[in-house]
Amino acid sequence: MGQCCSCVGRILPFSVSEMGNSEGPTSDELLGDAVPQIHSIHVAMSAPSITIANDLKNEINGFGLALADVPVEQDRAYWEWRVQISNPSDYNNIMFGVSNKRNQKFYEILAESSVPPDKHGTKFMCSVSNLKDGDVIGVAVQQSEIPMIQLYLNGEVQDGGQVIRFRGTVYPSVYLPPRGSEISATFLYREDQFVRGPPRPGLEPLIAERSLM
């Protein structure tokens, strides 16, 4: 038995009691404060007609499809889009939801096709009509339930704003209509950025894939 203790002594250079009295950092100190998630609109995955409108790269104008740079990996997620509309009208077919990964070749091919612009990668998106300047659209995703996507306008559920299901890896997305010079949209993805916040418990801000590991 003495020999075993001796072996342990060689393996562990200090005793448990010495560990308790050490001046080293605590587990809380080692973990530290969580690093804020930083996301933006992904230029290479967005239409060439989309323009980044601020230094944080989370506000856009122009027209066409725009995707964020973070995939929706978690089962339940929530984010918001705040819209600015300089000249509101009945025609503001802005769409919100998710889209599969895109590249510039995708937009080049579609530009030469007869596919309407609002059908370019918007299969998993819904439009919200009669938007006004400052309106906030919440996007709630629940991958294990139906519908998988539900839209909210200023905290109120939108009856026609559901996507029953989607497939593959998807990214938060927005579609601005051709009158996009009068419209901009800001991607809000962190809890401290939310204007309205999740409509029910269990919906969490977007988390990058590496943070889920």
Side-chain angles (χ1 to χ4, degrees), residues 37 39 70-71 73-74 206-213:
Q37 296 275 315
H39 303 303
V70 55
E73 296 287 346
Q74 66 230 71
L206 283 166
I207 303 174
E209 182 178 11
R210 63 185 178 185
S211 299
L212 294 175
M213 297 176 62

Side-chain angles (χ1 to χ4, degrees), residues 29 48 84 86 93 99 101 125 131 139 156 164 186 202-203:
E29 291 171 335
Q84 295 84 46
S86 57
N93 186 33
S99 185
K101 188 174 183 177
M125 303 173 68
L131 289 174
V139 183
E156 299 293 330
I164 300 303
T186 304
L203 295 170

